Amino acid sequence: MSLRIVVTVKYVPDATGDRHFADDLTVDRDDVDGLLSELDEYAVEQALQIAENADDAEVTVLTVGPEDAKDALRKALSMGADKAIHVEDDDLHGTDAIGTSLVLAKAIEKAGYDLVVSGMASTDGTMGVVPALVAERLGVPQVTLLSEVSVEDGVVKGRRDGDAASEQLEASLPAVVSVTDQSGEARYPSFKGIMAAKKKPVESWDLSDLDIEAEEVGLDGAFTKVQTATERPARTAGTIVKDEGEGGKQLAEFLAGQKFI
């Protein structure tokens, strides 16, 4: 029987871009380029390695997001995933982590799975709670923050590295795992992989396909909201010290005034 692996990925704003809040205090995604979350690339890589070591396996990438989120799916498909699922619905705008976990869990159940692989966190929200929330909703074990992961004889095993010690963990499938950025470099899509990705199936689902009501998600259904936000003040010109024999003294006085020394 084929090992069914679902990888949850997120389309995030480019951290190097100029990011802003929209009027409703959600991230203005129209004003900045997006991409596949770098931490999710590690999840795709580990899923592909597990599939390569299995007799028969299929890797599905799943994302929840706007139309442009398909770019994240295409990146994962070009890395080697077999197919993709895109959950898109206008009523999802402003959904928080709890609502996102509901949508992901419903989509994972509809897709069918043995193993769910996620990144340790998204690079925009950096909450790191979604894998645990998804596992709870699915009613399956979670083995999170792994720097090494493998599957054998219906059991997922992995190593979690802490500050003082490492733990060896395992759980029977079906299960949810998350991997860290120490799990191994993600492969770079080859030209062949990029061309092949264009022919791989991408399914599009909305909330009605998952039997989710609009009031369960979105900004109105969110448990967490941004109440206020203040734009970071513009950077001011620095202090220029001209060395005319007293430069060292002036520099020391400035550092002392800032309590750096």
Side-chain angles (χ1 to χ4, degrees):
M1 183 176 177
S2 176
L3 176 65
R4 300 167 298 172
I5 306 172
V6 177
V7 188
T8 62
V9 300
K10 189 176 183 183
Y11 180 73
V12 299
D14 189 341
T16 64
D18 191 12
R19 293 166 292 172
H20 301 279
F21 281 123
D23 292 339
D24 61 1
L25 296 181
T26 61
V27 177
D28 186 353
R29 293 181 178 272
D30 294 331
D31 206 32
V32 63
D33 291 334
L35 41 74
L36 171 62
S37 175
E38 181 182 357
L39 291 173
D40 289 341
E41 291 187 20
Y42 296 98
V44 175
E45 175 62 33
Q46 291 307 306
L48 293 174
Q49 289 191 27
I50 291 170
E52 289 165 357
N53 290 322
D55 292 333
D56 184 18
E58 182 178 63
V59 177
T60 301
V61 285
L62 165 66
T63 196
V64 178
E67 172 66 25
D68 290 344
K70 282 189 173 67
D71 291 344
L73 296 177
R74 292 190 188 97
K75 174 69 177 292
L77 290 172
S78 67
M79 291 173 66
D82 299 298
K83 61 181 183 178
I85 298 170
H86 180 202
V87 181
E88 179 188 8
D89 197 300
D90 290 341
D91 288 325
L92 284 167
H93 174 74
T95 301
D96 63 358
I98 294 176
T100 298
S101 72
L102 171 64
V103 179
L104 288 173
K106 290 279 191 178
I108 290 166
E109 286 180 324
K110 182 178 174 67
Y113 73 102
D114 298 298
L115 178 67
V116 179
V117 185
S118 302
M120 61 187 288
S122 63
T123 53
D124 56 351
T126 65
M127 294 183 69
V129 298
V130 170
L133 292 172
V134 168
E136 176 67 20
R137 290 189 183 277
L138 293 174
V140 300
Q142 55 167 303
V143 187
T144 54
L145 301 176
L146 301 180
S147 55
E148 185 179 275
V149 60
S150 63
V151 173
E152 187 176 353
D153 297 329
V155 176
V156 58
K157 301 179 181 181
R159 189 184 77 243
R160 178 191 293 156
D161 295 324
D163 292 335
S166 294
E167 302 171 280
Q168 295 291 335
L169 307 171
E170 64 178 55
S172 298
L173 299 181
V176 173
V177 304
S178 69
V179 298
T180 72
D181 54 356
Q182 301 301 308
S183 58
E185 282 298 317
R187 68 193 66 188
Y188 191 81
S190 64
F191 177 75
K192 181 179 179 181
I194 294 171
M195 297 305 293
K198 296 179 179 180
K199 299 180 180 180
K200 293 179 179 179
V202 179
E203 292 190 60
S204 294
W205 297 343
D206 59 19
L207 292 179
S208 65
D209 291 316
L210 302 176
D211 295 324
I212 297 175
E213 300 296 329
E215 55 267 23
E216 296 181 82
V217 294
L219 197 57
D220 291 338
F223 285 76
T224 58
K225 300 178 183 178
V226 177
Q227 296 292 337
T228 60
T230 302
E231 191 169 345
R232 179 186 296 173
R235 182 175 294 180
T236 58
T239 301
I240 299 176
V241 176
K242 293 183 178 180
D243 189 4
E244 297 176 350
E246 296 289 324
K249 181 180 178 182
Q250 292 180 54
L251 181 59
E253 290 174 350
F254 173 79
L255 292 174
Q258 299 296 317
K259 297 184 178 180
F260 291 140
I261 59 173

